[in-house]
Amino acid sequence: EVQLLESGGGLVQPGGSLRLSCAASGFTFNSHAMSWVRQAPGKGLEWVSGISGSGGRTDYADSVKGRFTISRDNAKSTLYLQMNSLRVEDTAVYYCAKDPGGQYELLLQPFDSWGQGTLVTVSS
Amino acid sequence: DIQMTQSPSSLSASVGDRVTITCRASQYISSYLNWYQQKPGKAPNLLIYAASNLHGGVPSRFSGSGSGTDFTLTLSSLQPEDFATYYCQQSYNTPRTFGQGTKVEIK
């Protein structure tokens, strides 16, 4: 059974930094692209960033480009999101999500499994 | 970015009703359209991918259709566990954008 468990969320001041983690199990982690998707309180879903299974390809939404960095440690089956220069509008639940494939490329696929999410609150 | 527009934004329906939700893309996306269900406080779950393919374990009362720019999600007979918010998403181009959601409530 696929399991994705996010951690690292919390309260941070504007301009601060936070690193999210997503521990994966139940599948061959390095064979699948992974993404972060966020949801502001009471709002819809926004894809934030994606990374191929090998880690060689990354992609970002314009809203976070230059501030967030996605990475993965395939030996630990863990996905990360380093968030710097945080803004109030980054406040959201952050989900990690798995692609059906994408070992070497960032294929444009649906997200077939999701974690339970971790809340990031940016406020002074 | 490709904009996805869902209608209606919300609807009220009764158990046993047939429900249809539409999703329109701002440009051509072939059949690269996915549907998700999200219940309050929970993560989204994939229902349908590539416009009309049922994801594993999803009941057959869910169906999807469409191609190009116009798509529909149909629930043939609404069940109590189907009351939730539904999102469409395009996977034709990056960023993979979502519709704003359709909340299905109990009448």
Side-chain angles (χ1 to χ4, degrees):
Chain A
E1 178 192 3
V2 172
Q3 290 197 343
L4 301 170
L5 186 62
E6 300 95 335
S7 61
L11 175 63
V12 61
Q13 292 188 337
S17 297
L18 213 55
R19 189 176 85 154
L20 306 182
S21 299
C22 171
S25 61
F27 63 102
T28 305
F29 186 65
N30 62 10
S31 293
H32 296 268
M34 299 290 294
S35 284
W36 290 97
V37 178
R38 68 184 179 184
Q39 186 170 37
K43 301 298 185 182
L45 300 164
E46 179 189 18
W47 172 83
V48 171
S49 181
I51 186 168
S52 61
S54 65
R57 302 285 192 196
T58 60
D59 193 15
Y60 299 90
D62 286 346
S63 58
V64 306
K65 202 169 291 183
R67 300 187 299 123
F68 290 10
T69 303
I70 192 170
S71 63
R72 62 193 297 159
D73 184 337
N74 286 342
K76 296 182 177 179
S77 296
T78 303
L79 175 73
Y80 302 100
L81 185 68
Q82 177 67 43
M83 304 186 295
N84 298 330
S85 303
L86 282 161
R87 305 168 179 168
V88 171
E89 55 265 34
D90 294 320
T91 295
V93 173
Y94 285 72
Y95 297 101
C96 66
K98 170 185 164 289
D99 278 22
Q103 183 174 9
Y104 297 110
E105 297 295 332
L106 262 177
L107 305 175
L108 297 175
Q109 298 179 317
F111 302 121
D112 63 1
S113 295
W114 298 64
Q116 88 293 342
T118 187
L119 176 62
V120 173
T121 303
V122 185
S123 175
S124 55
Chain B
D1 296 1
I2 298 175
Q3 183 176 354
M4 307 302 294
T5 304
Q6 291 180 230
S7 60
S9 294
S10 65
L11 64 90
S12 295
S14 300
V15 172
D17 284 354
R18 181 182 180 89
V19 169
T20 299
I21 299 168
T22 66
C23 178
R24 174 165 288 178
S26 61
Q27 66 183 71
Y28 174 83
I29 60 168
S30 184
S31 295
Y32 292 92
L33 190 284
N34 313 302
W35 291 98
Y36 299 85
Q37 177 193 66
Q38 186 179 34
K39 296 182 179 180
K42 301 294 186 182
N45 285 310
L46 178 64
L47 293 175
I48 288 172
Y49 64 95
S52 61
N53 296 278
L54 219 56
H55 186 53
V58 175
S60 59
R61 63 180 179 273
F62 290 91
S63 64
S65 64
S67 66
T69 60
D70 294 311
F71 302 86
T72 60
L73 172 69
T74 300
L75 289 74
S76 61
S77 178
L78 201 63
Q79 297 302 299
E81 60 269 29
D82 300 335
F83 291 95
T85 300
Y86 294 85
Y87 293 93
C88 64
Q89 178 217 21
Q90 64 82 16
S91 50
Y92 181 80
N93 205 352
T94 186
R96 282 174 274 184
T97 45
F98 294 86
Q100 83 280 12
T102 295
K103 188 174 184 178
V104 177
E105 298 175 300
I106 302 173
K107 181 183 283 185

